[in-house]
Amino acid sequence: MKQLLALIFFFTVAAQAQFAVKGIVKNAKTGEALPFASITSGNDGATITDVDGKFVLQTFSKITNISISYVGFHAVKLDIIPAEKYYVVDLVPIIENLNAVFVDNPADHIIKLVIREKEHNNPQKKLSSFQFKSYNKLIITANPDAIESRIDSVFTEKNGKRKFSKIDSSAYKFSKIVSKRHLFQTEKVSQFQFSDGHLKENILGTKMAGFSQPVYEIIAFNLQSFSIYDQSYELFETNYVSPITLEAFAHYKFKLLDTVSIQNRKIYLVYFRPKRKKKSTGLEGLLYIDAKNYALAKAVMRIRGVLDISAIHEFKYLESEKIWFPSNKEFKIVKGKNDEDIKILGETLKFDGDKNDSDPKRPKQASDFTYLLSKSYNFDAEYNIPLKIRNSSIAIEIKDEAIKKEEDFWEKYRTDSIDVRSPQTYFALDSIAKKRRIEQKLRIGRKIINGYLPLGPLDLDLRYLLSYNNYEGFRVGLGGITNEKFSRKYKIEGYSAYGTKDGAFKYNLGGAARIGKFSNTWMGASYTDDVREIASTSFAIDKRVFKIYDPRPINVSTFYNYWNYRAYIETRIIPKTESIWQLVYSKVNPEFEYTYNLNGKAYHEFTMTTAMVSLQWNPFSSYMQTPTGRLEIEKRFPKFTFQFTQALPHVLDNDFEFTKIDFRAEYEKKYLNGQRSALLIEAGYANGDVPITHLYNTSPNNLTKEKIIQRITLSGKNSFETMFFNEFFSSQYIKLQLKHGFKRVSIFNKVKPSLVLVTRMAWGDMEHPENHIGINYKTLENGFFESGIELNQIFKGLGLTGFYRYGPNQLPRFEDNIAVKLSFVLDLGL
């Protein structure tokens, strides 16, 4: 999601408008600086002083006065004089001391009470149901008054002499643009519904400048958490420890700043910041806490780094329900500080340093004046009403009519009547997008990222163009599938390929019809004549992912040929799942010396008729239903995959009777420091008469060569790098993989490797090994173990990996237990 935003908006990385007041706050009696004093300017801006009592208050409109307050001191209101650049504010202490009320840090005591009362103050816990409408507007813009709209002369220096180079009118042009319109804007009107623990957003209308059909991924982008009471707080799709959980005291420091009044209720103002010095590892902000029921009346969350990101939650007190209910939300991104300039899609963004003072000579870019601002206003709220949510497993639903709303619909909900730039924004960006064919280019880009090249009503499948393995040699082919220009209800797909080493053609042809739009249910059939690696574990529901290269098949040399007829139903009718239900009739011919001996009968080739269900279940992910389909908008773990295969005896000359059950579980955890852990569990059980072609090889990826250097190839993603091809086979197995990746570290210029620690292990067994004749193998009763490191992306995506084999299946020669491989990670620079 973040990458998509970067793709569309990289030229608008945000920065704050330049209306600012600077100063310092001191104790009038002692002259000492007062850290964390509260500075406000009407409803437009608020900040606090730093540890040295200094402050910078920036707003999007002109500042006429500011209010300064600090617990235990008399508040001061100060008129701003345009000529005054720096203010020294002296606060006079008062006798009352809030600290005397509490034994320990008063802020800690207040936060503990907030945590204790969460269940009674969280609307999603206290209320049985609620619904409300919300108008949201997101803009990327700049304040034209903050830009020096002048034309500069650019000089270069050579041999100590300045020489005129060119005229720079970029600031002038940018000022003219933003004085007339915003750089981007989108609006939506939603109805939020909550009942029985489910929260859903129904989008009633949505409009996006420059697009006739909105970019749904942008609509789904989660800028800030819906609820401030969740266990973690999400800001710009990154989860942070919430300041109102028991874990908060290990991560944050709290300080009581002041007492204020909101809706005539006494409110504690509590400031919090990370305990660690590096602020980008945690939130900082302000909590406005009701002094009577310890509910949140307002919250300000902030992260300062390359981007300065802040979010505001405002609440309205409902006397009838005795609860603070969400009323408004605001989200801002402004350009932050960084010690190095960064590149986004080839565009260099220059930053003021964080460690060093800002360079006053650095010329300002458009990104120094641009900011992203999203505001939401809630209305028409209802509470504790009979409410049944349709399709509650869907987090966001957009109906077809939501993207077709006329102007009178929007005029009913817009609250900012003085924004004269918005109407012009739609007109200008729609014209620009049409002229530059932005929607068509975005459509093509999406297709290519997923491995397709659109050619009219056909999407050419780039995955079939070229590949290599030791059996086929170079495999060249052509394939494709019809797209929405052909039909949204029917599709035809197929491919043809030729192996330069085996000299054989392979092909597939199929078609399907959509029988359910909401569930995206398709019924189809196909015919395939192709080859497949023996004993390879594959889940029918897995999408064939597009890769520039697929490393592991390069080393595979043992295949079987199959041709089959397949009838299937593919659906998402079960909540948070994708599934395929299919019947397959196959003819299988092993392309190696092998005989399957069953009850005295030798099978060199065989016929199979099977029924299968393959199901992917993502119980913790969130989904959005759009007019074009269903999107997984928040990928959460764990994820589970199940597959059940049953041979059908006496159906279409089926030779064998067997049952196969396959399972996979995946879990990933990202850390705020850039590290990542991953766990993968796979298991399979085959019971009955199963030839070795359809058993399990546990994904080996090592060549049978004498020397280590002869075995250097490309590493796989989840394969055993020290296990030789065809070394082990199993009729039942379990595999465990653990990975932990560290943040990339700069060693030299352009050399920034990513270190990953990997451990893999597997156990298995083979029933009736005497039935498999002609192939020598071992079994995994005692387990197989390997560990190693991956140094990925050392230079331009290339890396190096090393693994060591140990345990009961360790080989006698030391060097045979070592595998060294190359790795390649494609970095698009998004």
Side-chain angles (χ1 to χ4, degrees), residues 200-217:
K200 183 180 180 182
E201 179 184 4
N202 295 295
I203 296 182
L204 308 177
T206 179
K207 187 176 185 180
M208 190 172 291
F211 297 92
S212 57
Q213 177 175 288
V215 181
Y216 297 115
E217 292 86 348

Side-chain angles (χ1 to χ4, degrees), residues 105 300 402 467 471 496 579 739:
N105 179 356
V300 180
S467 61
Y471 174 74
S496 180
S579 59
K739 283 189 175 186

Side-chain angles (χ1 to χ4, degrees), residues 267-406:
I267 303 294
Y268 293 131
L269 180 58
V270 175
Y271 168 72
F272 68 94
R273 65 179 178 86
K275 284 188 172 181
R276 296 180 182 180
K277 291 183 178 179
K278 191 174 181 182
K279 293 183 179 179
S280 60
T281 60
L283 297 167
E284 66 173 323
L286 297 168
L287 301 175
Y288 294 74
I289 300 165
D290 191 311
K292 187 174 182 180
N293 61 8
Y294 297 97
L296 290 171
K298 184 178 178 180
V300 180
M301 305 293 195
R302 187 179 184 189
I303 284 292
R304 289 189 285 182
V306 173
L307 298 178
D308 192 337
I309 306 172
S310 62
I312 299 174
H313 296 255
E314 294 185 274
F315 300 81
K316 179 182 179 181
Y317 187 72
L318 307 176
E319 186 66 41
S320 60
E321 308 294 338
K322 306 297 182 184
I323 195 171
W324 288 88
F325 194 80
S327 59
N328 302 317
K329 287 201 305 185
E330 183 176 304
F331 175 88
K332 299 176 187 175
I333 301 182
V334 302
K335 186 175 175 182
K337 290 188 176 183
N338 200 44
D339 290 316
E340 295 180 0
D341 298 336
I342 64 173
K343 286 188 176 182
I344 300 178
L345 296 174
E347 186 80 7
T348 300
L349 297 175
K350 295 186 177 293
F351 287 82
D352 293 331
D354 193 24
K355 297 178 182 176
N356 307 313
D357 292 335
S358 301
D359 181 6
K361 296 181 181 180
R362 181 181 72 81
K364 297 295 183 181
Q365 297 180 316
S367 64
D368 291 309
F369 304 101
T370 312
Y371 59 90
L372 181 149
L373 177 63
S374 172
K375 288 188 176 183
S376 298
Y377 305 94
N378 303 338
F379 56 96
D380 290 352
E382 298 176 276
Y383 324 98
N384 293 326
I385 58 173
L387 182 61
K388 185 175 182 179
I389 302 176
R390 294 188 59 192
N391 305 314
S392 60
S393 63
I394 303 297
I396 304 174
E397 185 172 353
I398 307 175
K399 296 289 182 62
D400 291 4
E401 59 271 18
I403 65 175
K404 303 171 184 177
K405 297 299 183 182
E406 299 294 336

Side-chain angles (χ1 to χ4, degrees), residues 676 738-742 754-758 788-792 803:
R676 176 183 298 188
L738 300 168
K739 283 189 175 186
H740 183 80
F742 295 87
S754 169
L755 174 64
V756 181
L757 304 180
V758 185
I789 62 172
E790 299 177 353
L791 282 174
N792 298 320
F803 287 85

Side-chain angles (χ1 to χ4, degrees), residues 564-565 582-588 606-612 645-658 694:
N564 68 32
Y565 293 94
Q582 64 181 29
L583 291 171
V584 181
Y585 171 75
S586 303
K587 290 282 189 178
V588 178
F606 23 86
T607 301
M608 292 183 175
T609 306
T610 59
M612 174 193 286
T645 307
Q646 178 63 55
L648 305 177
H650 314 299
V651 176
L652 298 176
D653 300 321
N654 177 43
D655 288 324
F656 309 122
E657 184 174 350
F658 64 85
H694 289 67

Side-chain angles (χ1 to χ4, degrees), residues 520 541 543 570-581 614-618 623 630 632 642:
N520 197 33
I541 195 61
K543 300 295 185 292
E570 183 176 349
T571 183
R572 295 184 175 186
I573 196 169
I574 304 173
K576 299 198 174 186
T577 69
E578 297 179 58
S579 59
I580 291 179
W581 308 70
S614 185
L615 183 144
Q616 172 79 42
W617 181 38
N618 306 330
Y623 291 86
R630 191 174 301 176
E632 186 181 4
F642 307 89

Side-chain angles (χ1 to χ4, degrees), residues 29-157:
K29 188 173 181 179
T30 65
E32 295 178 348
L34 296 178
F36 314 124
S38 176
I39 318 293
T40 59
S41 173
N43 294 321
D44 193 30
T47 188
I48 57 174
T49 58
D50 61 19
V51 292
D52 299 314
K54 297 178 181 179
F55 68 90
V56 178
L57 176 64
Q58 294 178 309
T59 69
F60 298 102
S61 60
K62 191 174 181 180
I63 302 172
T64 57
N65 58 73
I66 59 174
S67 297
I68 305 98
S69 59
Y70 194 77
V71 62
F73 289 76
H74 291 286
V76 170
K77 188 171 184 179
L78 190 67
D79 291 328
I80 300 303
I81 303 171
E84 193 75 27
K85 296 185 180 294
Y86 196 81
Y87 293 85
V88 178
V89 183
D90 292 317
L91 298 185
V92 178
I94 56 180
I95 297 174
E96 181 186 359
N97 187 1
L98 266 168
N99 290 2
V101 178
F102 307 105
V103 176
D104 301 315
N105 179 356
D108 286 354
H109 184 79
I110 292 171
I111 294 300
K112 288 176 181 177
L113 291 172
V114 172
I115 296 169
R116 190 189 72 182
E117 298 298 321
K118 277 174 66 174
E119 293 289 311
H120 303 100
N121 293 320
N122 183 353
Q124 291 173 261
K125 298 291 184 180
K126 186 171 183 178
L127 302 176
S128 62
S129 66
F130 61 77
Q131 68 178 8
F132 62 87
K133 292 180 181 177
S134 180
Y135 168 77
N136 171 265
K137 181 178 181 180
L138 182 149
I139 60 173
I140 297 178
T141 190
N143 190 330
D145 296 332
I147 305 170
E148 294 186 22
S149 55
R150 65 186 184 189
I151 299 176
D152 295 323
S153 298
V154 179
F155 293 86
T156 58
E157 192 168 330

